[in-house]
Amino acid sequence: VGGRIRPVHPSELATHNKKNDAWLAIRGRVYNITHYLSYHPGGPEELMRGAGIDATELFDKVHPWVNYDSLLAKCLVGPLRFDRPDGE
Ligand code: HEM
């Protein structure tokens, strides 16, 4: 079941920008949204606008009241980190 929380560098986040492999970050937390895409009330295309990036602004523009951290609790990959890519 995975369950391993680990830091994610923005350069790694950026590679997860496809519908079958989509991650996004909100307020410093990275989520794997791949399986949530088809459940998003705004549709998958809207949610994909935030794939591979820090989607905090996009998210807050549309629905700052939505409790993403609870909805995506099982999809948490880990904290967004800004120091260096993995393995360095
Ligand atoms: C609704 C866009 C991320 C959960 C919507 C709607 C849009 C939208 C346009 C309105 C749909 C409508 O009323 O017809 C976006 C964009 C996102 C994003 C651009 C980021 C790039 C997320 C995330 C979650 C989420 C990360 C939660 C995991 C929801 C929920 C609604 C909704 C629960 C219904 C809200 C309500 O009616 O009060 N979204 N969304 N969205 N989205 Fe997102």
Side-chain angles (χ1 to χ4, degrees):
V1 253
R4 237 199 186 61
I5 300 302
R6 53 135 179 113
V8 177
H9 192 269
S11 62
E12 182 187 6
L13 172 62
T15 66
H16 298 275
N17 61 351
K18 291 149 216 82
K19 276 199 168 177
N20 63 357
D21 177 18
W23 295 7
L24 63 65
I26 300 177
R27 277 180 264 285
R29 290 155 83 84
V30 177
Y31 302 93
N32 182 338
I33 52 160
T34 311
H35 300 292
Y36 182 71
L37 277 172
S38 51
Y39 297 100
H40 180 235
E45 300 304 333
E46 278 293 326
L47 188 49
M48 278 304 289
R49 293 172 64 204
I53 64 173
D54 180 341
T56 306
E57 270 186 51
L58 274 172
F59 178 89
D60 283 346
K61 257 187 232 165
V62 190
H63 41 37
W65 58 86
V66 168
N67 194 343
Y68 60 93
D69 195 45
S70 140
L71 287 167
L72 300 175
K74 298 252 170 66
C75 308
L76 181 67
V77 181
L80 189 59
R81 79 182 211 194
F82 293 97
D83 43 3
R84 60 203 180 282
D86 252 10
E88 282 178 28

